[in-house]
Amino acid sequence: MTAATGRLVGVPGVSRTARWAAHAAALTLVPSGVWRIAIAFGWDSGFTDEFLGPDNFPGMGSWYLIGLSLFAEALGLLALGLIHRWGEVIPRWVPGLGGRGIPVLAAVIPASLGALAVTLITFLSAGNWNSVENMGAPTSPQGGMYWVMTACYVPLLAWGPLLAVATVAYYRRRRGSGVVR
């Protein structure tokens, strides 16, 4: 952050495409998280099964839905490390490690594997979305509730590819600076 403008200063060399991809990757998780949290607080999503039925919320299952949403968003926010300084140097406030450089492959390998895994999982899930074990089950939402849930989960299809774009840009930028370890 600069004192003069109060604005966050980006890492030099981060392209607009990489910046956009990293932010968009983090945001793809928000709709499904909001959908789950709404259920946790008692919104009737149209499910009638044993777990997601409206009689169970709010209740003990709420903690699971809220925790899952927060965990997923935390994973999504890691994409921002690919475009910010904390993705290159461990913040100084981290005991024992603060100020040390992050090896390029220590970020690239998990981000690449994550992008691949998320892409495979979301596309395979989309292919089975209407199967009897998923949204085709009689206990699943019908009509408008089906479409609301679907609209909340569709952005997840972009998460993996966007993370891959940000990861490739991170690798190219860091490799070019001669700090590949």
Side-chain angles (χ1 to χ4, degrees):
M1 196 175 267
T2 66
T5 65
R7 293 182 52 181
L8 208 59
V9 176
V11 173
V14 175
S15 70
R16 176 173 277 162
T17 301
R19 201 172 297 287
W20 181 87
H23 284 94
L27 290 172
T28 60
L29 291 108
V30 172
S32 59
V34 169
W35 182 84
R36 284 188 299 272
I37 289 172
I39 292 171
F41 283 102
W43 177 66
D44 182 356
S45 65
F47 275 100
T48 58
D49 67 6
E50 295 172 24
F51 179 69
L52 291 172
D55 294 340
N56 296 331
F57 300 98
M60 290 306 293
S62 296
W63 294 111
Y64 169 75
L65 293 178
I66 292 169
L68 177 61
S69 297
L70 293 175
F71 178 70
E73 191 58 43
L75 287 177
L77 289 172
L78 287 174
L80 298 178
L82 299 171
I83 61 166
H84 287 285
R85 182 85 175 132
W86 56 268
E88 296 180 7
V89 177
I90 298 172
R92 294 219 177 268
W93 55 265
V94 176
L97 298 174
R100 292 186 183 182
I102 296 173
V104 175
L105 294 180
V108 170
I109 291 171
S112 298
L113 293 173
L116 178 63
V118 166
T119 300
L120 289 173
I121 290 167
T122 55
F123 277 85
L124 290 173
S125 296
N128 292 321
W129 187 253
N130 288 316
S131 71
V132 178
E133 295 84 28
N134 292 314
M135 296 303 291
T139 58
S140 294
Q142 305 296 316
M145 295 295 190
Y146 166 88
W147 289 108
V148 168
M149 181 180 176
T150 300
C152 288
Y153 276 84
V154 162
L156 290 177
L157 292 169
W159 183 17
L162 289 167
L163 179 57
V165 168
T167 302
V168 168
Y170 175 89
Y171 178 75
R172 286 181 177 164
R173 178 173 51 81
R174 296 277 317 271
R175 180 193 66 196
S177 67
V179 289
V180 175
R181 295 178 203 149

